[in-house]
Amino acid sequence: MPFIFGIDKILTNQNNKCSIGNRDKIKEGGKGMYLDDIKIIFMQSCVADSKKIRFKAKFSRDISEVLPYINSVLKDAIYNKNAMSLTIRKEFRIITLHSDMLAVSKAVNETDAYEIIDSVKDLINNTYENKEKIKPLYEMRSKPSAIDVYNHLPKLNCRKCGEYTCLAFATKLLSGEQNIKRCVHIYDVHNRENLEWIEDFLQVFGY
Ligand code: SF4
């Protein structure tokens, strides 16, 4: 069960006020384009599912100022003001926009990666183009829950991470005082799905 609902098409969100006309103008002319380029700098197989890929791509400029506007128009987005990140789910894919780069996991293949890049570039440019009509939203709509994380931990209370309980570990994971790598048992083979869930969760919420 996903912890947030995905969106099928980033650019067809009913709340996105960007028009097709504007998008075409930006694509064709390029003049006055806010974000010129997104370049892939890293690509490899996903750890949990080697048939899918993850990649990072660098923005040609800092796009921090646009994130609260995208947060406003995409109701399923998770915006983390402190981490300066915004995450969108597109079906099973997890797409995170940082101020200077894009991080994507579970892309289908390289072609899919380039399609995601095109969509993200359009999303950023169209949102910027229309920002006068959008009220920026600086809050995170959905808060991360320690109980959700705890439910996917091994629940052994073995203390190997330095905490007395798995719940304490989950709480500190969300406050940034712990790292998932310190839970040795989450890497046991039978916990693979739980590890994947926690890694997705942490990425979505900008940890
Ligand atoms: S190492 Fe993992 S299983 Fe052990 S207490 Fe810490 S969180 Fe729980």
Side-chain angles (χ1 to χ4, degrees), residues 174-189:
L174 296 188
S175 66
E177 297 167 80
Q178 270 289 7
N179 188 310
I180 187 60
K181 291 183 177 145
R182 295 204 60 194
C183 173
V184 289
H185 293 294
I186 195 70
Y187 293 93
D188 293 347
V189 176

PDB file of all heavy atoms in Angstrom, residues 174-189:
ATOM      1  N   LEU A 174      13.384  10.174  11.886  1.00  0.00           N
ATOM      2  CA  LEU A 174      12.638  11.315  11.345  1.00  0.00           C
ATOM      3  C   LEU A 174      13.155  12.655  11.856  1.00  0.00           C
ATOM      4  O   LEU A 174      12.920  13.685  11.234  1.00  0.00           O
ATOM      5  CB  LEU A 174      11.141  11.176  11.656  1.00  0.00           C
ATOM      6  CG  LEU A 174      10.449   9.975  11.004  1.00  0.00           C
ATOM      7  CD1 LEU A 174       8.951  10.035  11.210  1.00  0.00           C
ATOM      8  CD2 LEU A 174      10.758   9.894   9.513  1.00  0.00           C
ATOM      9  N   SER A 175      13.844  12.638  12.993  1.00  0.00           N
ATOM     10  CA  SER A 175      14.397  13.915  13.483  1.00  0.00           C
ATOM     11  C   SER A 175      15.805  14.134  12.928  1.00  0.00           C
ATOM     12  O   SER A 175      16.449  15.138  13.227  1.00  0.00           O
ATOM     13  CB  SER A 175      14.419  13.930  15.016  1.00  0.00           C
ATOM     14  OG  SER A 175      15.334  12.957  15.491  1.00  0.00           O
ATOM     15  N   GLY A 176      16.289  13.169  12.159  1.00  0.00           N
ATOM     16  CA  GLY A 176      17.613  13.313  11.549  1.00  0.00           C
ATOM     17  C   GLY A 176      18.752  12.892  12.456  1.00  0.00           C
ATOM     18  O   GLY A 176      19.922  13.049  12.113  1.00  0.00           O
ATOM     19  N   GLU A 177      18.415  12.314  13.634  1.00  0.00           N
ATOM     20  CA  GLU A 177      19.476  11.910  14.570  1.00  0.00           C
ATOM     21  C   GLU A 177      19.943  10.474  14.344  1.00  0.00           C
ATOM     22  O   GLU A 177      20.855  10.004  15.010  1.00  0.00           O
ATOM     23  CB  GLU A 177      18.957  12.032  16.016  1.00  0.00           C
ATOM     24  CG  GLU A 177      18.602  13.452  16.417  1.00  0.00           C
ATOM     25  CD  GLU A 177      17.817  13.474  17.715  1.00  0.00           C
ATOM     26  OE1 GLU A 177      18.427  13.360  18.783  1.00  0.00           O
ATOM     27  OE2 GLU A 177      16.569  13.579  17.641  1.00  0.00           O
ATOM     28  N   GLN A 178      19.251   9.756  13.478  1.00  0.00           N
ATOM     29  CA  GLN A 178      19.648   8.380  13.186  1.00  0.00           C
ATOM     30  C   GLN A 178      19.686   8.168  11.677  1.00  0.00           C
ATOM     31  O   GLN A 178      19.125   8.954  10.914  1.00  0.00           O
ATOM     32  CB  GLN A 178      18.658   7.379  13.822  1.00  0.00           C
ATOM     33  CG  GLN A 178      19.028   6.947  15.228  1.00  0.00           C
ATOM     34  CD  GLN A 178      20.269   6.029  15.260  1.00  0.00           C
ATOM     35  OE1 GLN A 178      20.935   5.807  14.253  1.00  0.00           O
ATOM     36  NE2 GLN A 178      20.585   5.514  16.437  1.00  0.00           N
ATOM     37  N   ASN A 179      20.359   7.084  11.293  1.00  0.00           N
ATOM     38  CA  ASN A 179      20.467   6.744   9.876  1.00  0.00           C
ATOM     39  C   ASN A 179      19.989   5.303   9.704  1.00  0.00           C
ATOM     40  O   ASN A 179      20.341   4.450  10.532  1.00  0.00           O
ATOM     41  CB  ASN A 179      21.944   6.872   9.453  1.00  0.00           C
ATOM     42  CG  ASN A 179      22.116   6.728   7.957  1.00  0.00           C
ATOM     43  OD1 ASN A 179      21.614   5.785   7.339  1.00  0.00           O
ATOM     44  ND2 ASN A 179      22.826   7.670   7.366  1.00  0.00           N
ATOM     45  N   ILE A 180      19.221   5.047   8.668  1.00  0.00           N
ATOM     46  CA  ILE A 180      18.668   3.696   8.464  1.00  0.00           C
ATOM     47  C   ILE A 180      19.783   2.642   8.418  1.00  0.00           C
ATOM     48  O   ILE A 180      19.586   1.490   8.810  1.00  0.00           O
ATOM     49  CB  ILE A 180      17.784   3.642   7.188  1.00  0.00           C
ATOM     50  CG1 ILE A 180      17.061   2.298   7.066  1.00  0.00           C
ATOM     51  CG2 ILE A 180      18.586   3.945   5.946  1.00  0.00           C
ATOM     52  CD1 ILE A 180      16.135   1.960   8.189  1.00  0.00           C
ATOM     53  N   LYS A 181      20.980   3.049   7.997  1.00  0.00           N
ATOM     54  CA  LYS A 181      22.094   2.092   7.896  1.00  0.00           C
ATOM     55  C   LYS A 181      22.490   1.527   9.254  1.00  0.00           C
ATOM     56  O   LYS A 181      23.169   0.508   9.337  1.00  0.00           O
ATOM     57  CB  LYS A 181      23.300   2.772   7.245  1.00  0.00           C
ATOM     58  CG  LYS A 181      23.049   3.073   5.778  1.00  0.00           C
ATOM     59  CD  LYS A 181      24.256   3.664   5.110  1.00  0.00           C
ATOM     60  CE  LYS A 181      23.949   3.873   3.630  1.00  0.00           C
ATOM     61  NZ  LYS A 181      24.552   5.030   3.069  1.00  0.00           N
ATOM     62  N   ARG A 182      22.080   2.179  10.324  1.00  0.00           N
ATOM     63  CA  ARG A 182      22.456   1.684  11.660  1.00  0.00           C
ATOM     64  C   ARG A 182      21.549   0.554  12.144  1.00  0.00           C
ATOM     65  O   ARG A 182      21.828  -0.084  13.156  1.00  0.00           O
ATOM     66  CB  ARG A 182      22.460   2.840  12.653  1.00  0.00           C
ATOM     67  CG  ARG A 182      23.544   3.857  12.293  1.00  0.00           C
ATOM     68  CD  ARG A 182      23.984   4.671  13.455  1.00  0.00           C
ATOM     69  NE  ARG A 182      24.546   3.868  14.528  1.00  0.00           N
ATOM     70  CZ  ARG A 182      24.771   4.306  15.754  1.00  0.00           C
ATOM     71  NH1 ARG A 182      24.475   5.546  16.051  1.00  0.00           N
ATOM     72  NH2 ARG A 182      25.274   3.532  16.677  1.00  0.00           N
ATOM     73  N   CYS A 183      20.458   0.322  11.439  1.00  0.00           N
ATOM     74  CA  CYS A 183      19.608  -0.832  11.791  1.00  0.00           C
ATOM     75  C   CYS A 183      20.129  -2.039  11.008  1.00  0.00           C
ATOM     76  O   CYS A 183      19.848  -2.190   9.819  1.00  0.00           O
ATOM     77  CB  CYS A 183      18.147  -0.575  11.440  1.00  0.00           C
ATOM     78  SG  CYS A 183      17.126  -2.045  11.684  1.00  0.00           S
ATOM     79  N   VAL A 184      20.881  -2.885  11.684  1.00  0.00           N
ATOM     80  CA  VAL A 184      21.516  -4.002  10.971  1.00  0.00           C
ATOM     81  C   VAL A 184      20.489  -5.003  10.437  1.00  0.00           C
ATOM     82  O   VAL A 184      20.661  -5.567   9.354  1.00  0.00           O
ATOM     83  CB  VAL A 184      22.541  -4.732  11.873  1.00  0.00           C
ATOM     84  CG1 VAL A 184      23.757  -3.876  12.107  1.00  0.00           C
ATOM     85  CG2 VAL A 184      21.929  -5.122  13.215  1.00  0.00           C
ATOM     86  N   HIS A 185      19.406  -5.199  11.155  1.00  0.00           N
ATOM     87  CA  HIS A 185      18.454  -6.249  10.768  1.00  0.00           C
ATOM     88  C   HIS A 185      17.528  -5.872   9.613  1.00  0.00           C
ATOM     89  O   HIS A 185      16.921  -6.751   9.004  1.00  0.00           O
ATOM     90  CB  HIS A 185      17.631  -6.681  11.987  1.00  0.00           C
ATOM     91  CG  HIS A 185      18.477  -7.361  13.006  1.00  0.00           C
ATOM     92  ND1 HIS A 185      19.088  -8.579  12.765  1.00  0.00           N
ATOM     93  CD2 HIS A 185      18.858  -6.980  14.254  1.00  0.00           C
ATOM     94  CE1 HIS A 185      19.799  -8.925  13.825  1.00  0.00           C
ATOM     95  NE2 HIS A 185      19.682  -7.976  14.742  1.00  0.00           N
ATOM     96  N   ILE A 186      17.440  -4.592   9.310  1.00  0.00           N
ATOM     97  CA  ILE A 186      16.590  -4.215   8.176  1.00  0.00           C
ATOM     98  C   ILE A 186      17.211  -4.713   6.867  1.00  0.00           C
ATOM     99  O   ILE A 186      16.545  -4.831   5.843  1.00  0.00           O
ATOM    100  CB  ILE A 186      16.344  -2.675   8.139  1.00  0.00           C
ATOM    101  CG1 ILE A 186      15.183  -2.319   7.201  1.00  0.00           C
ATOM    102  CG2 ILE A 186      17.580  -1.913   7.724  1.00  0.00           C
ATOM    103  CD1 ILE A 186      13.845  -2.720   7.668  1.00  0.00           C
ATOM    104  N   TYR A 187      18.511  -5.043   6.926  1.00  0.00           N
ATOM    105  CA  TYR A 187      19.196  -5.545   5.727  1.00  0.00           C
ATOM    106  C   TYR A 187      19.124  -7.071   5.606  1.00  0.00           C
ATOM    107  O   TYR A 187      19.663  -7.643   4.661  1.00  0.00           O
ATOM    108  CB  TYR A 187      20.658  -5.065   5.704  1.00  0.00           C
ATOM    109  CG  TYR A 187      20.731  -3.569   5.520  1.00  0.00           C
ATOM    110  CD1 TYR A 187      20.803  -2.714   6.620  1.00  0.00           C
ATOM    111  CD2 TYR A 187      20.658  -3.003   4.250  1.00  0.00           C
ATOM    112  CE1 TYR A 187      20.820  -1.334   6.451  1.00  0.00           C
ATOM    113  CE2 TYR A 187      20.675  -1.626   4.074  1.00  0.00           C
ATOM    114  CZ  TYR A 187      20.759  -0.802   5.181  1.00  0.00           C
ATOM    115  OH  TYR A 187      20.761   0.560   5.012  1.00  0.00           O
ATOM    116  N   ASP A 188      18.456  -7.728   6.554  1.00  0.00           N
ATOM    117  CA  ASP A 188      18.247  -9.174   6.423  1.00  0.00           C
ATOM    118  C   ASP A 188      17.382  -9.425   5.181  1.00  0.00           C
ATOM    119  O   ASP A 188      16.482  -8.624   4.866  1.00  0.00           O
ATOM    120  CB  ASP A 188      17.532  -9.734   7.662  1.00  0.00           C
ATOM    121  CG  ASP A 188      18.413  -9.651   8.912  1.00  0.00           C
ATOM    122  OD1 ASP A 188      19.632  -9.399   8.753  1.00  0.00           O
ATOM    123  OD2 ASP A 188      17.879  -9.816  10.025  1.00  0.00           O
ATOM    124  N   VAL A 189      17.647 -10.532   4.508  1.00  0.00           N
ATOM    125  CA  VAL A 189      16.964 -10.806   3.230  1.00  0.00           C
ATOM    126  C   VAL A 189      15.440 -10.743   3.364  1.00  0.00           C
ATOM    127  O   VAL A 189      14.751 -10.163   2.519  1.00  0.00           O
ATOM    128  CB  VAL A 189      17.392 -12.197   2.691  1.00  0.00           C
ATOM    129  CG1 VAL A 189      16.619 -12.540   1.422  1.00  0.00           C
ATOM    130  CG2 VAL A 189      18.886 -12.194   2.398  1.00  0.00           C
TER     131      VAL A 189
END
